[in-house]
Amino acid sequence: PPPISRIVAAMFPEEMTRVDGQGKLPLHHAACRSWHAWDCPREDETSDSNSARLLTKESVSILKAAMDASSPMAARHADNLGRLPIHYAIATLTEASYGGGRSCTEHPVYDILETIQKFMRMHPESIQHYDPISRLPPFLQASAAASDHCTVKSDGF
């Protein structure tokens, strides 16, 4: 949960700079953490269970906490695949905006934009760093990932 991740980051700040065997920092892991249906409130105004309400916006809260606890150098750190945290975040956040399996009262776009803006403030040059998986710069990576979720009808619309 977000409060626990904040407490751990505050008590052990050196862990935010520890690289794992894949070359990832905690910021990489937070950026690629999947969002779930409970991350967004329901649009149809039906009640979620108490446990689901406790988890609302949990994934974005953990990512924001990791960003707050990380130095700007963490946003510049490429893992063993050559991916920056922003590359993972774009893939995860694009999936979240199209996934989830239900309509939400608040489209996650605002959280997504705020998160990407924060990554850009941490490492402005990342906009020019091509993702080694998609071989695209971040803005095109987001566009390509979004188009993967769009379907074209036989009439072209």
Side-chain angles (χ1 to χ4, degrees), residues 35-37 40 92-104 108 149:
W35 285 23
H36 303 281
C40 298
T92 300
L93 298 172
T94 304
E95 180 67 30
S97 68
Y98 287 95
R102 67 177 179 182
S103 299
C104 300
H149 291 280

Side-chain angles (χ1 to χ4, degrees), residues 119-131:
F119 270 115
M120 296 305 300
R121 286 190 298 273
M122 289 176 80
H123 180 32
E125 296 83 18
S126 65
I127 194 73
Q128 299 170 354
H129 193 282
Y130 283 60
D131 174 37

Side-chain angles (χ1 to χ4, degrees), residues 34 52 58 95 98 102 105 142 144 147:
S34 295
E58 179 183 59
E95 180 67 30
Y98 287 95
R102 67 177 179 182
T105 56
S147 68

Side-chain angles (χ1 to χ4, degrees), residues 41-74:
R42 288 183 183 268
E43 182 178 66
D44 61 8
E45 298 182 15
T46 59
S47 291
D48 279 324
S49 67
N50 287 337
S51 58
R53 280 195 295 265
L54 288 172
L55 297 172
T56 300
K57 295 192 175 190
E58 179 183 59
S59 297
V60 74
S61 295
I62 289 173
L63 178 53
K64 288 178 181 180
M67 293 173 84
D68 290 341
S70 297
S71 76
M73 291 307 294

